[in-house]
């Protein structure tokens, strides 16, 4: 997942991935460009529930812990 990339590369993004991918936070919220968004799999109901709580939600928002 993109969250794993952030962790593996030791990127210092304050607060990103607070729940470590257990779908309990939405701190891994990403806003993608249209082309990238369309290449990803479907958004599950669980991901959508958390996205609804994310600040600045857009039509191309995803959670970094749910996309590869
Ligand atoms: Fe918490 Fe993605 S890291 S929902």
């Amino acid at each position: 997942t993109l969250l794993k990339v952030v962790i593996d590369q030791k990127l210092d993004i304050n607060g990103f991935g607070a729940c470590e991918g257990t779908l309990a936070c939405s701190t891994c919220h990403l806003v993608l460009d249209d082309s990238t968004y369309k290449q990803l799999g479907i958004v599950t109901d669980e991901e959508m529930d958390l996205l609804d709580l994310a600040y600045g939600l857009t039509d191309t928002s995803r959670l970094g812990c749910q996309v590869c």
Side-chain angles (χ1 to χ4, degrees), residues 34-56:
D34 286 337
S35 174
T36 302
Y37 182 85
K38 289 175 183 168
Q39 294 176 40
L40 300 176
I42 62 166
V43 181
T44 65
D45 289 343
E46 293 83 6
E47 182 180 357
M48 186 55 72
D49 287 346
L50 268 183
L51 279 170
D52 284 341
L53 303 175
Y55 176 78

Side-chain angles (χ1 to χ4, degrees), residues 3 17-28 50 63 65:
L3 173 62
C19 77
E20 301 177 350
T22 60
L23 277 175
C25 69
S26 81
T27 60
C28 60
L50 268 183
L63 294 179
C65 67

Side-chain angles (χ1 to χ4, degrees), residues 3-38:
L3 173 62
K4 186 172 180 342
V5 172
V6 169
I7 292 169
D8 289 351
Q9 296 300 312
K10 298 181 175 37
L11 301 177
D12 186 15
I13 304 174
N14 191 24
F16 190 88
C19 77
E20 301 177 350
T22 60
L23 277 175
C25 69
S26 81
T27 60
C28 60
H29 175 211
L30 303 171
V31 177
L32 307 169
D33 61 65
D34 286 337
S35 174
T36 302
Y37 182 85
K38 289 175 183 168

